[in-house]
Amino acid sequence: MNGLEQSTATPLQNWNGNILVPVRLLFETFGYQIGYDAPSRTVSLKSADAAPSLKVFGISPGGYSDGKELKVSVFAYNYALRDFAQAKEPKTGEGHIHVWLDSDQLDPQSALKVFKSEPMVFKDLKPGKHTLTVQLVGNDHKPIQPEVKQSIEFHTVDLSILKDLDPEKRAGMRIEGVIADSKHRVFTVDMDSKKLYRIAADSGKQDVLTELPRSATGMAFDASGNLYIASGGQEGVIFKVSAKELEGDSFDPGLVETYASGVQGANGLTFDAKGNLYVSGGANGNIYKVAPDGKVETYKSGLAPLRQEQLIVVNGLAFGQDGKLYVANTSSGEVRRFAVNPDGSLGASELVAKSPPLYGADGLTFGPAGALYIAANERNAIVRVSTDGQVTEVAHNSNQGPLEFPASLYFAGTTLYISNFDQPRGANKPNEPGIGASIAKIEFGDGK
């Protein structure tokens, strides 16, 4: 259980919208033994000198807040703190916990709070990194043991809808791929009408640039700004739209080039540093390499489905700073990475992360700080995997949005753009009450 980890790097925990603080650092220092009862989800604290045992809550992982309202609580109830303080420091009377938020958005003195019984609420935090510090104090508000405190970093984000592409039908479109350029112009394709959209992130203005020859999904830019779009099926193809056409008004469909074929099930796309385009094959488990001259090589991933109702084993693709190819397995809810040989072929794979929050892992992308972000489509969630494999949920919601079966995601600066595929599965079933096919965005601010 994350809340019982010894490390002082343990993140904040998020339980029913409350941010809570681990107790091990505070209480083991004073000689309490910590136990956990899974059926009741209760942590027990027992003193070696026969002082009263204390009861505190256990919870599940977190680390992010939406920034609109941060509720700060602690594991322990007030009575537990009182018993604790009286047992260890009889002269201090009732015990309290000091909790304060270090942020350049708040005056340090006004941010100081004393925990009693209700959670403290910090409102309207701008997106970015903040620090919460917690310390046990006595009735006189002085620390019982000054060195016993814990400072924990957390992040606030702003999740919203950039553009609802089909406000009338609400469940009548399908968009899977999304990408943005340096000017924060967002591109996506309606799989049913095959229209290629360009959306201005500052105004939400949308333009239909052209109609593709076939339905399409994943997207990638090359180093020159040309756009590549995957179109799956038995005879999978990759389309290419020149950077020049992306700048102007609508253009003739005849200007859409077929860049490569023979990539069955084509879905996710990503380029390596040499200009090779890698393509995921979905349920067939293939990963294709398309060389700059258009030659296609096929590699078997060796990944197998975990669920028969979901057979996609290679989906989102992205290259990490380590030069390895990271792949989302939608069926098993995991991320793996492949070593890439000098000739561009795939070497051995290794597990990066496998966790319940990654259930339905679809598109993935790297953020500016090097962490990996994954769309967990069947959970209506965005999940972060740190460079050391730690899994943290960034955002999730019900079937009424803003996330509705998120499929692809892409960073432009500190903004993460997300396509809502809006399929009626998992947490998004039924899909009719929500927003429908749309582009969502998460503003992270500084320091992801």
Side-chain angles (χ1 to χ4, degrees):
M1 175 182 168
N2 280 16
L4 296 180
E5 290 178 356
Q6 187 83 26
S7 171
T8 58
T10 302
L12 288 181
Q13 311 299 307
N14 187 328
W15 187 58
N16 287 352
N18 292 330
I19 304 297
L20 300 106
V21 180
V23 292
R24 183 183 290 276
L25 180 66
L26 290 175
F27 289 96
E28 278 197 342
T29 305
F30 293 96
Y32 277 85
Q33 296 177 343
I34 300 181
Y36 178 62
D37 179 65
S40 64
R41 299 181 68 190
T42 299
V43 178
S44 64
L45 305 176
K46 185 176 178 59
S47 172
D49 61 5
S53 293
L54 312 180
K55 294 292 183 180
V56 294
F57 287 123
I59 39 63
S60 54
Y64 281 78
S65 166
D66 63 8
K68 296 178 175 65
E69 183 173 276
L70 173 67
K71 296 179 181 178
V72 178
S73 185
V74 204
F75 280 128
Y77 268 147
N78 211 28
Y79 79 87
L81 293 175
R82 181 179 64 249
D83 292 343
F84 172 79
Q86 288 176 346
K88 294 298 179 183
E89 295 285 341
K91 296 181 181 180
T92 63
E94 183 176 279
H96 299 277
I97 281 185
H98 265 171
V99 179
W100 65 92
L101 189 66
D102 297 328
S103 170
D104 57 8
Q105 300 171 34
L106 297 172
D107 177 79
Q109 295 303 315
S110 64
L112 183 64
K113 303 286 183 180
V114 178
F115 176 85
K116 291 185 178 178
S117 59
E118 297 297 325
M120 291 156 290
V121 178
F122 299 96
K123 292 182 178 292
D124 299 325
L125 293 176
K126 296 178 182 178
K129 183 169 65 177
H130 312 278
T131 302
L132 184 77
T133 303
V134 63
Q135 185 172 44
L136 188 69
V137 300
N139 194 47
D140 56 3
H141 298 253
K142 294 181 179 179
I144 291 177
Q145 192 165 337
E147 65 271 21
V148 182
K149 65 180 180 179
Q150 187 171 10
S151 295
I152 307 168
E153 290 184 350
F154 70 100
H155 295 77
T156 52
V157 298
D158 182 16
L159 170 62
S160 62
I161 293 293
L162 168 64
K163 187 68 177 180
D164 184 353
L165 288 168
D166 193 17
E168 299 301 324
K169 294 182 180 179
R170 300 181 67 177
M173 291 179 67
R174 297 181 302 150
I175 61 170
E176 185 169 354
V178 70
I179 200 166
D181 63 15
S182 59
K183 300 178 182 178
H184 285 254
R185 297 178 302 182
V186 181
F187 300 87
T188 191
V189 176
D190 173 22
M191 296 176 65
D192 294 328
S193 69
K194 303 184 289 292
K195 294 178 180 177
L196 173 62
Y197 286 89
R198 181 183 62 201
I199 304 165
D202 55 355
S203 65
K205 180 180 180 295
Q206 70 179 43
D207 297 303
V208 176
L209 294 182
T210 195
E211 182 177 319
L212 301 177
R214 293 172 34 167
S215 182
T217 55
M219 297 175 156
F221 284 122
D222 66 13
S224 299
N226 302 306
L227 179 62
Y228 297 76
I229 310 172
S231 179
Q234 286 296 113
E235 179 56 34
V237 300
I238 306 298
F239 297 123
K240 178 182 177 181
V241 178
S242 72
K244 176 183 176 182
E245 303 303 339
L246 297 177
E247 292 293 330
D249 297 326
S250 60
F251 57 90
D252 188 274
L255 295 175
V256 177
E257 174 187 345
T258 298
Y259 177 70
S261 59
V263 284
Q264 183 184 40
N267 192 359
L269 300 178
T270 190
F271 278 95
D272 70 5
K274 297 178 181 179
N276 297 306
L277 178 64
Y278 286 77
V279 184
S280 65
N284 63 26
N286 292 336
I287 297 176
Y288 308 96
K289 184 195 75 174
V290 184
D293 62 2
K295 181 182 178 182
V296 176
E297 299 282 351
T298 302
Y299 309 117
K300 297 291 185 181
S301 69
L303 304 182
L306 186 66
R307 298 177 287 146
Q308 287 304 306
E309 68 273 20
Q310 175 53 274
L311 297 176
I312 296 177
V313 291
V314 288
N315 206 333
L317 302 173
F319 275 96
Q321 295 178 352
D322 55 6
K324 295 183 178 181
L325 180 64
Y326 288 70
V327 181
N329 184 332
T330 308
S331 182
S332 63
E334 66 183 278
V335 176
R336 301 191 72 87
R337 62 186 168 201
F338 289 81
V340 179
N341 299 318
D343 64 355
S345 62
L346 297 185
S349 76
E350 61 181 327
L351 181 66
V352 176
K354 183 176 182 180
S355 174
L358 289 171
Y359 181 81
D362 197 338
L364 53 76
T365 190
F366 281 93
L372 192 62
Y373 292 79
I374 301 101
N377 57 30
E378 295 180 49
R379 295 187 54 250
N380 281 350
I382 303 300
V383 180
R384 180 183 189 270
V385 177
S386 65
T387 53
D388 60 358
Q390 181 179 323
V391 178
T392 307
E393 186 164 272
V394 175
H396 80 283
N397 52 245
S398 69
N399 62 345
Q400 298 188 44
L403 299 173
E404 295 187 357
F405 208 84
S408 297
L409 64 179
Y410 190 85
F411 264 105
T414 59
T415 302
L416 182 65
Y417 296 101
I418 307 154
S419 65
N420 278 325
F421 192 40
D422 197 37
Q423 289 297 289
R425 285 163 43 195
N428 203 51
K429 184 177 182 179
N431 65 340
E432 287 82 3
I435 298 164
S438 55
I439 302 296
K441 65 175 182 175
I442 297 179
E443 300 285 358
F444 283 84
D446 297 328
K448 286 162 295 308

